[in-house]
Amino acid sequence: KLDTEKGRVGPERVTMPKGDISHLLCKNCGQFPLDPQLCIQPSCQSVLCQDCLVKTGQLIRCPLCKMDGVGPLPSTFTGQYKNVQVACYYKEKGCWYEGGIVDIAPHERICVFKETTCKWCGGTFHKFQIEDHYKECKKTEVTCPKCQELYLKSQEKAHDCISSLLKLIQCQERQ
């Protein structure tokens, strides 16, 4: 599962700002929360990600001080969060996208470098390659334009319209 699907981003993906922004990390897991929360207990005031919060019924508890009560970040923190820039998870696959921490999750859901699986052969391809692969995949189902029979692309040379039409006629005669 992607870290953005868990509601956080690893600090190794941060590209800007270059200064010390460790105070913006979740104090429980060490990641940058996508929807940061702050423990409201004066003795704690830890920044936390949604995944690390302890939910007990209607109450939300800080995993560090074990007290109830978290809330949104104050505006001083919010401005700093908006300046955090992160690289796409698929950077090593070829994606060049870098964006704000609040924009990264929507991008990664649609990133063309995200891997997807062929529904026919089970092979793995980047999203931008899958349509071309479907045109070539030997396990893709094809409908013959002449007789309407469905067969695998790998059986294209063995397909015989006359035999298929004869079978269809025989089936209809039996009914």
Side-chain angles (χ1 to χ4, degrees), residues 33-42 44-50 53-55 58-63 65 67-75 77-78 81:
L34 297 182
D35 184 14
Q37 300 293 304
L38 187 71
C39 177
I40 61 171
Q41 298 302 321
C44 184
Q45 294 196 333
S46 297
V47 173
L48 301 161
C49 63
Q50 292 283 343
L53 297 175
V54 179
K55 295 172 181 133
Q58 298 292 343
L59 300 174
I60 300 175
R61 182 168 289 157
C62 173
C65 71
M67 300 296 285
D68 294 336
V70 295
L73 292 183
S75 58
F77 279 79
T78 307
Y81 259 94

Side-chain angles (χ1 to χ4, degrees), residues 120-139:
W120 305 110
C121 71
T124 304
F125 302 89
H126 294 301
K127 274 181 140 181
F128 72 88
Q129 298 171 317
I130 199 72
E131 290 304 318
D132 287 337
H133 168 72
Y134 284 153
K135 293 174 189 170
E136 304 298 321
C137 181
K138 296 296 182 195
K139 292 191 177 182

Side-chain angles (χ1 to χ4, degrees), residues 105-116:
H107 164 77
E108 288 178 355
R109 281 193 290 276
I110 62 166
C111 182
V112 296
F113 288 92
K114 183 177 184 177
E115 291 185 340
T116 187

